[in-house]
Amino acid sequence: RDWLADKKCREQILLRYQAETEIYWHDTLAGAPVLCYGGEREKAQKKVWCDWRVEWSPQGSFIATFHQQGIALWAGPEFTKKMRLPHHGVKEILFAPNEEFIILWNG
């Protein structure tokens, strides 16, 4: 939820297209979205930041990226990986409203 403490009161936009996942600041004064993080750390290590889908947690504390092997949770101002949740072929994720629990489904 670091974006809530943004001094410029900007919102964040999460884009997923083709093989890319990018997070932008929505700065109305700049006139265009400003890239915040686009997986540069993972690309430099020849890793994949997201296989096919991405989702915010209810309070915006986490970003969940979907992978064949399971889910990865990212958080903080630098979007660092906080946890991996192994669950082969996961298709859905459901966070508890307080973000204390997560349900994964691969049906």
Side-chain angles (χ1 to χ4, degrees):
R1 285 185 278 184
D2 296 297
W3 59 271
L4 289 172
D6 182 54
K7 292 178 182 168
K8 296 182 181 179
C9 300
R10 301 172 295 181
E11 295 179 344
Q12 284 187 328
I13 302 168
L14 179 61
L15 294 178
R16 174 80 182 144
Y17 62 95
Q18 297 172 352
E20 298 294 327
T21 303
E22 298 174 339
I23 301 168
Y24 288 87
W25 285 111
H26 180 254
D27 189 345
T28 56
L29 299 177
V34 178
L35 183 64
C36 178
Y37 187 67
E40 294 82 9
R41 197 172 44 246
E42 289 69 38
K43 290 175 185 176
Q45 297 175 10
K46 306 245 188 276
K47 294 184 179 181
V48 176
W49 188 28
C50 180
D51 281 345
W52 68 281
R53 189 172 156 204
V54 62
E55 191 172 314
W56 285 108
S57 64
Q59 297 180 22
S61 304
F62 299 98
I63 293 175
T65 55
F66 287 65
H67 306 269
Q68 186 62 29
Q69 304 88 351
I71 298 289
L73 295 179
W74 309 79
E78 303 295 322
F79 299 99
T80 54
K81 188 186 297 185
K82 299 298 180 184
M83 182 181 294
R84 287 182 46 192
L85 303 168
H87 193 107
H88 184 74
V90 66
K91 294 181 180 145
E92 290 292 332
I93 185 171
L94 179 64
F95 287 88
N98 63 4
E99 299 179 347
E100 283 189 40
F101 303 100
I102 300 172
I103 297 173
L104 304 176
W105 179 70
N106 69 345

